[in-house]
Amino acid sequence: MSALIEAEGVGKAFGGLQALTDCSLSVAEGSVSGLIGPNGSGKTTLFNLMTGYERASRGEIRLGGESITRATPERVFALGVGRTFQITRLFFRLTVLENMLVATQRHEGWLRSVLRVAGSAAERVRALELLEFVGLSGLAARPAGELSYGQRKLLELATLLVADPAVLLLDEPTAGVNPTLINQLTERIRELNRAGKTFLVVEHNMEFVMGLCHQVTVLHQGRTLLTGTPEQVRADPAVLDAYLGGADDDDL
Amino acid sequence: MRLRPPARALLVATAVAILGVFPLIFSSPTSTSIAVFTLIFMVAACAWNMFAGSSGYIALGHAVYFGCGAYTLTLLANHLGFAAGWGVFALVPVAGIVAGLIAVPTGLIALRARRHTFVVITIAFMFIFQLAAFNLGFTGGSSGLQPPTPLWSVDTYNLNFYYVTAVVLLATFVLTWLVRRSRFGLQLLSIRDDEERARGLGVRVARVKLSAFVLSAIPVGMVGGIYAYFLGQIFPQFAFDPLFDLSIALMAFIGGLGTLVGPLLGALVLESLQQYFTVQYGSSQAYLIIYGALFLVVVLLLPRGVIPSLEELISRARAEPPEQGPEEPGRTADTIEAVR
Amino acid sequence: MRRGTWMVAAGVLAAALLVGCGSSSSSSSSGGGSASNASSNKSPVVIGTSLSLSGDFSADGQAFQKGYQLWASDVNKAGGLLGHPVKLDVVSDASSPAQVVTNYQKLISSDHAKLVFGPFSTLLTVPASKVVNRYGYAFVEGAGGAPAAFGNGLHNIFDVSLPVIDNLVPFAKWVASLPASERPKTAAYATSDDPFTQPQIPLAQNIMSAAGIKTVYSKVFPAEVTDYAPIATAVASSKADAVVLGSVDVPTVSAFVHAFIQQHYSPKVFIATAGPDQGAAFLKAAGGAKNAEGIMYPNGWYPGYANAQSQKLVSEYVAKYGGTPADVNADVAEAYSVGQAIAQAVAATHSLDNPKIISYLHSGVTLNSVQGPVKFNAQGENGQAAAFVFQWQKGNQVQVLPVGASGSKPPLIPKPNWGS
Amino acid sequence: MSASSLAKAVVDGILTGGVYALMAAGLTLIFGVMDIINIAQGALIVLGAYMSYVLSVHLGIDLFVGLIITIPAFFVLGVAIEWAFMRRLREQDRTAMSILVTYAVAIIIEGLLSVIFGVDYLQLRASYVDSTFHILGFYLPYIYVFGFLLAIGLLGVLYWILYRTHFGRGVRGSLQNRTAAELIGVNVNRVRAVSVGIGVAVTAAGGMVFGATNAFNPSSGYDLISRLLSIVILAGLGSIAGALVAALFMVTLEDVVAVVWSPVWATLVYYASLIVVLSFRPGGLFGSAAVRAQ
């Protein structure tokens, strides 16, 4: 299996603070990969670099072999990389369905985008199918702000699927979600993965990671500590050290 | 408000009919004069809201485009030797286009910033343009400029301006309506709610914001031109007036920021009442106190603007149990179309 | 929470209404309080005017209102216009040009004003004059004298006051004519960017330069400055013998006065285009008569003007509004003159017909006013206006120029040092 | 253009800048804590000037001594305004609606002042308003120096309150994260009321110095708002030290341009430089990254 999205020797400094020093990661096409590490190890920063929200100070990010190191978030998404956020981000004042329609990737001229009604019939049908898939179709007309926390996580995932991205980067998808919904989420990810989607998941829930991922990368103090199967990672003493000795400052 | 399409069509038809016959019924020059100014502000508030209300970027510098429209019409009319009369109205779209062109560089700079910083940059632009109008040679400086004055009779003068402005208003409203229901409009709303996430979903935010900004500047420039022509005189401090910026924002807020008809309602109520009260009671010493107090009362009783507050009342009256999201209190009943 | 909102709202409204009731009774829009004195029982003639009772021009607007009211009560005592008592209809324009346009239409079409008087400031006079012209009304005004107000092809506008552009000419000529020993060697010119002041300064500067007075500072400053210190300091450090200040209001002059005092700079000659004419209001802001001593200003009128009508106006003002003669500012006289010009035109034409009044005013007659003779040129400017220069001397406004004119006293030169 | 008049312009700018910082301090505190744009700040400054006028003319109390009365009175006024109006606005629409409310408050204050005092211009008087001392070749007016010292003193007190007291921690907590502040037991409502109270109280002092250095009437406040707002944003929201630096920088720049080039371009340069600086530092000179991250 070839690498679909990869980071090589990536570093990032904020002012004097070195958030990432040397970080390499490779996600094979069709895999579900995990990214773990103690708080402050730079997981979210890495996500931000991979999706264009931050610019890497050094190193390179590649998607399908092409560099996307300097691409904007809009561009990264258009190339087929979708992401969710650690704290769920939705358009709270838009309805659930409208949230789905924002992501529609349609290449049309500026004038048409102004004059045409948002969401063609086909797009609406597709959006409703995806809402069905995550179990939210009954709430389509509700403002997204009225959803429960777990429902928001599901909606956030569903909005990405509208544009049919090849890779999905999920930042702590289970945080604050009740066990029933976690199971539902796991199922959906497996299903999508079978359909050919590649995943990279940041997670603290070890059970979830170990159960789901084919391969896990451990970040520690801005460096990749190791990459391996869940079993290898579990067995590595360095990982345990990293977690035990991990600082409890805020996640960057 | 979520009305069924037939009801909505009826409402629109009624509004257009009222717009058409108003000056024939209330034909006194006092009311038609107030009506012209009110229409001018309705256009401005509606256009402003198309950008600011939808994107959440509270611009307080649209007087730049108002003033540029005013100066464009006046300068062109004078230099191209337009005879006073209907011909000058042909320059109104030109005033809009020039305002739109000026909105491109100013928008590019201002839209790099967000929130309060954006607000202050737009204010700064307003003062820069005002000072430029004072200091540059071709603007006539502090003595201002005078467009040709039409020799229409008392009976037709206001009417002609009224109907021209009414047409601009209809066009502006149709434009905002098209934008609101379009994909572009949805992208604007997504920027208002969460710009970073919108980017992550492929929305080209810089392009969308700038387009909306420029689009909203055009009608403002057009009414700026009409205003100059109607008054027959343009001075820098009135063309580029910080109070204009504050007024259109207040109108949109009081009607309901981001709603389709709220700003129209806000401008209708605020400008006409303000002019009426000033002419009627302005010589009373307590005028300012009462005006301010009434204003306060309205804001305190309708804290979200007229349209959203009314919607809230209606939906409560329909005895729906109030549904509260875990983090976002209150029903977010924007006039956005839900699924049909 | 909700109940709290209602309570506050209700409280605010109640308080506002209380204040409103309390003071709206004291506000009056009709100056014809003594209309009953008029022997006539004819229907009243409504005269409309829009004044800036709030906003930027409120200080002058309210002074104008007093002038109009004094005129109305005087004319009513004298039997009114053609036997009709005068009823003043004053509306406020809140210093806004849009409002002024609506207001004059309301005055003429809804309130059926037979005649109209002008508003305050050139900024509002121009749009107003165009509206009034549509109705064919005569537009006599006292405070729209900037060149921008004239030459618009309007046949109906008449300004009873001194044309602004000539304001400083007597001063400049006098300075130029001083014996070399007394004549200032250097002069500083600073002017606000305003249609009222801008045109006056270059004219004065030309005359003074031609007389060999060197210009050491000449700058325009924005109309709305929040910090005058650097400009005033720059003028002070130029150490000019004469300062010509193009000011529109009291705060500008007072800022320069204070900055000059602070910089220990006392020019030999100091003239400001507007501000010192505001009587006691100027003294209050400048910090008393000692600071005002020797400051000059050009104008068509001052409270001590040796004119019987003018003296009467001053005493009436003091009787009605209190204070001292120094409290009467020139706005009052400008407004009063507007009424006088109209009254004479009405009397001469025996009608309230505006076209007749317009052609009478254009006929080249010379009218009387508390500001002296009024004679309109083709554009409606008062070509006969007396151009005086006044000077503050010992807390009084004293006419000093033209030298030798009736009522002129010798100017105090050099201006004494501040506070001495 | 002599070097000395340039130096004088810089000194003038610094002294006047201090006064502006004092006038802006209340605005930045209220803005930062509450996310409220207080349009009434200008009207409050003028109100402060009138209060000092009444105390000095009718009761013969010295301008600076009078602050002992006006500052507490303004504190109460601020708390009342917060309770009566600002608290009633909903979180979601607060910034927008605050503009409406405070605009109305400004109009009411202007109206009350016109009814009580009329519209003639006034200026505060005291022996030190016009007197000066000679130093380094310039004459420095005492009032500007006293005003500057008052500004530094009060800003210092504010700084101390914000960074050295328990209450200040609550304020800063509310500045950064409202919800988090609530979670750790900060009584956000009380913090807000007191913050607005303090913000308005400081404004009383700003009003006094304004009234002693400018002639004012009830509508003088409007010209100040855009300037103060730009200082606050340039400073970075809620930053007291930033407000001082921004005010000194902007006013000095303007004064120097007025002397070196021309007063008419000075204001234009002021706003243009504001845009340039904010384009590169959108969070303001002392703004936290938090503003950008939102």
Side-chain angles (χ1 to χ4, degrees), chain C residues 1-2 4-5 8 12 55-56 58-59 62 193 217 219-222 224 226-227 229-231 233-234 237 249-251 254 258 261-264 281 284-288 291, chain D residues 5 8 12 16 20 53 83-85 87-88 90 110 119-123 125 129-130 132 139 141 143-144 214-215 217 219 223-224 227 251 255 258-259 261-264 267:
Chain C
M1 180 76 184
R2 293 295 301 173
T5 306
V8 170
V12 165
D56 280 350
S58 53
Q62 298 202 0
D193 198 352
Y217 181 92
K219 291 269 166 75
V220 178
F221 54 86
E224 279 170 7
T226 31
D227 182 14
I231 308 159
T233 308
S237 56
D249 53 16
V250 171
S254 121
H258 288 286
I261 297 172
Q262 290 160 358
Q263 294 309 310
H264 296 243
K284 262 193 247 172
N291 288 345
Chain D
S5 54
K8 180 67 172 60
D12 274 345
T16 316
Y20 270 87
Y53 178 80
W83 178 84
F85 308 126
R87 185 169 293 186
R88 275 147 232 291
R90 294 193 209 188
E110 185 195 348
V119 291
D120 279 346
Y121 285 93
L122 299 172
Q123 186 155 356
R125 294 181 62 191
V129 165
D130 285 332
T132 54
Y139 291 105
I143 183 64
Y144 280 93
N214 292 275
N217 83 350
S219 44
D223 296 342
L224 287 169
R227 246 152 211 283
V251 179
D255 284 3
V259 169
W261 185 11
S262 160
V264 278
T267 316

Side-chain angles (χ1 to χ4, degrees), chain D residues 22-216:
Chain D
L22 188 56
M23 293 194 284
L27 190 64
T28 195
L29 194 65
I30 298 171
F31 204 163
V33 176
M34 307 271 295
D35 236 5
I36 272 180
I37 300 182
N38 181 16
I39 300 281
Q41 182 77 6
L44 288 169
I45 288 169
V46 172
L47 180 65
Y50 272 103
M51 280 192 66
S52 293
Y53 178 80
V54 169
L55 291 179
S56 71
V57 170
H58 296 291
L59 301 174
I61 299 174
D62 176 81
L63 297 178
F64 285 87
V65 176
L67 292 179
I68 296 171
I69 299 166
T70 54
I71 288 180
F74 264 54
F75 177 81
V76 174
L77 178 68
V79 172
I81 290 177
E82 199 278 340
W83 178 84
F85 308 126
M86 296 179 178
R87 185 169 293 186
R88 275 147 232 291
L89 303 175
R90 294 193 209 188
E91 202 78 37
Q92 246 179 305
D93 331 280
R94 181 176 298 134
T95 309
M97 298 314 277
S98 71
I99 298 181
L100 287 174
V101 170
T102 53
Y103 178 62
V105 170
I107 292 176
I108 294 174
I109 293 176
E110 185 195 348
L112 284 171
L113 291 176
S114 322
V115 169
I116 300 170
F117 296 100
V119 291
D120 279 346
Y121 285 93
L122 299 172
Q123 186 155 356
L124 300 180
R125 294 181 62 191
S127 59
Y128 41 79
V129 165
D130 285 332
S131 52
T132 54
F133 61 99
H134 197 255
I135 185 170
L136 301 171
F138 327 120
Y139 291 105
L140 290 187
Y142 280 107
I143 183 64
Y144 280 93
V145 176
F146 289 170
F148 183 79
L149 293 178
L150 178 69
I152 299 295
L154 281 178
L155 294 179
V157 170
L158 267 188
Y159 196 83
W160 179 79
I161 292 176
L162 278 179
Y163 288 89
R164 292 285 179 275
T165 65
H166 181 70
F167 168 75
R169 269 198 295 280
V171 172
R172 282 183 295 134
S174 322
L175 266 169
Q176 277 151 11
N177 191 331
R178 203 157 284 148
T179 330
E182 234 153 23
L183 283 176
I184 59 166
V186 173
N187 181 344
V188 172
N189 265 347
R190 207 189 58 158
V191 163
R192 284 177 177 170
V194 176
S195 305
V196 174
I198 293 176
V200 173
V202 175
T203 305
M208 187 279 283
V209 184
F210 176 77
T213 51
N214 292 275
F216 56 91

Side-chain angles (χ1 to χ4, degrees), chain A residues 167-193:
Chain A
V167 194
L168 289 133
L169 308 189
L170 308 184
D171 200 344
E172 302 202 18
T174 71
V177 179
N178 71 48
T180 327
L181 276 175
I182 292 184
N183 286 339
Q184 196 186 340
L185 195 65
T186 315
E187 272 318 298
R188 295 299 159 238
I189 293 174
R190 287 222 172 96
E191 210 169 311
L192 289 165
N193 181 240

Side-chain angles (χ1 to χ4, degrees), chain A residues 46-90:
Chain A
L46 183 58
F47 258 36
N48 285 344
L49 295 177
M50 292 172 79
T51 48
Y53 281 93
E54 307 273 3
R55 191 68 46 89
S57 317
R58 49 181 288 255
E60 197 173 29
I61 318 272
R62 282 189 294 268
L63 177 69
E66 299 286 320
S67 171
I68 54 165
T69 320
R70 310 186 75 78
T72 59
E74 299 93 302
R75 176 90 190 121
V76 172
F77 184 77
L79 290 171
V81 181
R83 77 168 286 190
T84 65
F85 291 83
Q86 192 178 355
I87 296 166
T88 317
R89 295 176 90 156
L90 291 170

Side-chain angles (χ1 to χ4, degrees), chain C residues 175 184-189 205 208-209 213-218 235 238-244 265:
Chain C
V175 170
K185 309 265 176 308
T186 54
Y189 307 85
Q205 192 174 351
M208 288 166 66
S209 302
I213 298 166
K214 201 175 145 219
T215 301
V216 288
Y217 181 92
S218 177
V235 172
S238 78
K239 298 198 167 52
D241 294 335
V243 172
V244 181
Y265 163 63

